[in-house]
């Protein structure tokens, strides 16, 4: 146990020491820790993010000695902008530890790979769209871990629809933004934990978040959860749906480095659905952790850093250089906006000309009607003058 405690401490120190421009989503891609943005990285940008998630609590089960439960997870996220609309990410779980006799700490653990097609937005518009596809490669020795999302030793996959809104369409990363995610995940686990299990576990994932940059600080609020479309086997941990609220903050002391903090707070307390009576010895499930704890922690503390590796020119750029680079990268957008404005002005001028022609045509028709009714042209002109005076 002492070795595991030392390893946990070293992991925490490591992920605090590893240090980017903005925050990176834990499952890959730009955005907040739990909710992705529809905007992607600029072409040629390489972002590295570290994140540690910690939960711990003392408990005193009836008829047993008091003990402490904990769950420590360490992740890295590497994201690269391939082009204006495509971004790839690798998200390995570098460290996973639960203080449970039947679980040894795992390093490394599973790896998530994803690709995002995003930044689809009309020039000058505030709403962007995108989609992300991802897969989980089971590298770790142990799966079906308490206090963590359900997972097995099978390759899983999923896709997520992304929508983002920003108050400033030109500089969305510097303005208040809203993110919406709707995703699907297939665990591909038929028969993984129980030979009697039928079908593959599938779940709906969702997230809603707002991010508010304020100078070097950025504040965020996330609401994220899941709903199983097909529940995992009866012997699995974390068969219940969850919903978390995560307030967070990010501080950027320099333009290529940020420090991120957050707190996951569980909003729903689902009843434990694990069937402990039907458990056999080879699925790694027992009641040690569940005598006094739900399958999801009531809270989790998140902390990490983000570092911008590429382009290296960002280390030497002044604030003026940053603004000039931003303006240059948006030249096509500005030109499109000016072109649309000119087209709009031209269309308005044409509409005004058509309106004037219509008024003149109506007057000619009215004059012709009066002549046909027997009025002289002189009387007709006098009536028109009186109407114009009125």
């Amino acid at each position: 146990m002492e070795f595991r405690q030392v390893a946990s401490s070293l992991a925490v120190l490591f992920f605090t020491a590893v240090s980017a421009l903005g925050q990176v989503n834990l499952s890959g891609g730009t955005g907040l820790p739990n909710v992705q943005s529809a905007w992607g990285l600029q072409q040629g940008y390489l972002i590295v993010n570290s994140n540690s998630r910690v939960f711990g609590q003392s408990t005193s089960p009836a008829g047993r000695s008091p003990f402490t439960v904990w769950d420590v997870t360490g992740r890295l996220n590497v994201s690269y902008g391939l082009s204006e609309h495509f971004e790839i990410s690798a998200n390995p779980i570098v460290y996973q530890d639960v203080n449970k006799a039947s679980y040894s700490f795992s390093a490394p653990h599973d790896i998530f790979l994803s690709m995002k097609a995003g930044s689809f937005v009309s020039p000058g518009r505030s709403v962007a769209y995108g989609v992300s596809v991802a897969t989980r490669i089971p590298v770790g020795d142990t799966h079906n871990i308490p206090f963590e999302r359900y997972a097995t030793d099978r390759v899983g996959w999923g896709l997520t629809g992304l929508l983002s809104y920003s108050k400033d369409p030109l500089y969305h990363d510097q303005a208040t933004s809203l993110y919406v995610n709707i995703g699907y995940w297939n665990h591909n686990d038929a028969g993984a934990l129980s030979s009697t299990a039928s079908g593959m576990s599938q779940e709906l994932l969702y997230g809603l978040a707002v991010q508010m940059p304020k100078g070097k600080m950025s504040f965020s609020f996330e609401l994220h959860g899941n709903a199983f479309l097909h529940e995992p086997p009866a012997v699995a941990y974390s068969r219940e749906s969850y919903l978390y609220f995560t307030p967070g903050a990010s501080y950027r002391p320099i333009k290529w480095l940020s420090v991120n903090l957050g707190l996951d707070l569980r909003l729903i307390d689902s009843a434990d659905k694990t069937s402990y009576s039907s458990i056999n010895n080879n699925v790694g499930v027992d009641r040690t952790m569940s005598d006094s704890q739900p399958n999801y922690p009531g809270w989790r503390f998140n902390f990490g850093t983000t570092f911008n590796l590429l382009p290296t020119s960002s280390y030497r750029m002044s604030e003026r250089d940053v603004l000039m680079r931003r303006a240059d990268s948006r030249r096509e957008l500005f030109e499109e906006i000016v072109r649309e404005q000119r087209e709009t002005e031209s269309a308005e001028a044409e509409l005004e000309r058509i309106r004037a022609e219509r008024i003149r045509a109506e007057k000619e028709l009215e004059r012709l009607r009066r002549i046909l009714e027997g009025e002289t042209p002189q009387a007709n002109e006098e009536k028109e003058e009186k109407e114009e005076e009125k």
Side-chain angles (χ1 to χ4, degrees):
M1 184 64 71
E2 291 182 359
F3 174 73
R4 296 176 65 193
Q5 291 175 342
V6 171
S8 298
S9 300
L10 290 176
V12 169
L13 291 174
F14 171 74
F15 285 104
T16 305
V18 178
S19 314
L21 190 60
Q23 289 173 291
V24 180
N25 188 276
L26 295 183
S27 60
T30 53
L32 294 169
N34 302 287
V35 183
Q36 294 190 62
S37 167
W39 283 288
L41 287 174
Q42 296 183 40
Q43 183 175 359
Y45 272 68
L46 177 64
I47 303 297
V48 176
N49 170 269
S50 69
N51 181 277
S52 288
R53 197 165 66 180
V54 179
F55 161 72
Q57 184 171 323
S58 297
T59 182
S60 300
R64 295 179 55 189
S65 300
F67 64 97
T68 301
V69 295
W70 77 61
D71 179 28
V72 180
T73 303
R75 295 171 178 255
L76 283 179
N77 182 289
V78 182
S79 296
Y80 180 72
L82 289 174
S83 65
E84 178 185 359
H85 296 293
F86 290 94
E87 170 188 305
I88 57 175
S89 297
N91 175 218
I93 302 176
V94 183
Y95 180 88
Q96 177 73 63
D97 186 20
V98 178
N99 66 332
K100 183 171 181 290
S102 59
Y103 288 95
S104 60
F105 75 91
S106 180
H109 202 59
D110 296 349
I111 299 175
F112 289 82
L113 301 176
S114 66
M115 172 177 282
K116 177 166 69 176
S119 299
F120 296 107
V121 56
S122 299
R125 306 305 183 195
S126 295
V127 179
Y129 304 91
V131 63
S132 174
V133 294
T135 183
R136 182 184 64 84
I137 302 175
V139 177
D141 297 329
T142 306
H143 297 89
N144 188 34
I145 300 174
F147 305 128
E148 292 292 335
R149 281 183 57 192
Y150 171 70
T152 68
D153 58 353
R154 304 289 180 85
V155 175
W157 61 273
L159 57 88
T160 303
L162 314 171
L163 183 148
S164 295
Y165 167 83
S166 177
K167 290 183 65 176
D168 188 342
L170 298 181
Y171 301 100
H172 58 82
D173 54 342
Q174 297 181 3
T176 298
S177 299
L178 177 70
Y179 307 136
V180 179
N181 292 179
I182 297 292
Y184 165 82
W185 190 267
N186 189 311
H187 291 274
N188 186 33
D189 60 343
L193 294 181
S194 174
S195 58
T196 60
S198 60
M200 295 179 290
S201 302
Q202 303 170 64
E203 57 183 318
L204 176 70
L205 305 173
Y206 56 90
L208 175 67
V210 60
Q211 186 174 22
M212 298 169 290
K214 301 290 182 182
K216 293 185 176 182
M217 295 292 296
S218 179
F219 302 94
S220 62
F221 299 94
E222 301 175 87
L223 197 65
H224 52 100
N226 81 327
F228 278 107
L229 304 175
H230 189 285
E231 292 182 345
V235 297
Y237 279 121
S238 308
R239 302 182 67 236
E240 307 79 29
S241 299
Y242 62 83
L243 176 63
Y244 279 95
F245 172 67
T246 304
S250 176
Y251 174 63
R252 189 178 64 185
I254 45 183
K255 55 182 172 290
W256 44 267
L257 168 69
S258 67
V259 180
N260 315 310
L261 300 174
L263 180 65
D264 295 336
L265 300 172
R266 194 184 69 237
L267 299 184
I268 58 175
D269 188 8
S270 301
D272 190 348
K273 295 183 179 180
T274 302
S275 178
Y276 298 96
S277 60
S278 60
I279 292 171
N280 55 48
N281 294 328
N282 61 0
V283 296
V285 183
D286 59 40
R287 299 190 63 99
T288 304
M289 304 295 286
S290 63
D291 283 340
S292 59
Q293 300 292 323
N295 280 340
Y296 296 105
W299 61 271
R300 285 182 303 222
F301 180 60
N302 298 271
F303 57 95
T305 49
T306 314
F307 184 73
N308 185 19
L309 288 181
L310 295 176
T312 56
S313 58
S314 62
Y315 308 145
R316 305 181 298 273
M317 293 171 64
S318 64
E319 292 299 327
R320 179 182 179 278
D321 294 332
V322 172
L323 291 176
M324 294 297 293
R325 186 183 181 92
R326 285 177 177 271
D328 185 66
S329 66
R330 290 166 172 78
R331 180 182 301 171
E332 294 184 3
L333 175 61
F334 293 147
E335 291 175 352
E336 182 67 21
I337 292 174
V338 171
R339 184 162 53 251
E340 286 189 355
Q341 184 175 0
R342 288 176 178 172
E343 291 175 355
T344 300
E345 292 174 352
S346 177
E348 290 177 350
E350 181 66 15
L351 183 62
E352 187 64 30
R353 185 189 66 79
I354 294 174
R355 187 181 295 112
E357 290 289 344
R358 181 177 60 80
I359 292 174
R360 284 195 291 270
E362 289 176 351
K363 287 183 178 181
E364 289 295 331
L365 288 174
E366 181 64 18
R367 180 178 298 180
L368 178 61
R369 184 185 65 79
R370 289 173 178 173
I371 291 175
L372 292 175
E373 291 178 352
E375 295 183 5
T376 63
Q378 183 177 359
N380 200 2
E381 290 177 359
E382 290 176 355
K383 280 188 178 182
E384 289 179 357
E385 290 176 358
K386 290 180 180 180
E387 289 177 355
E388 290 178 357
E389 290 177 358
K390 290 181 181 180

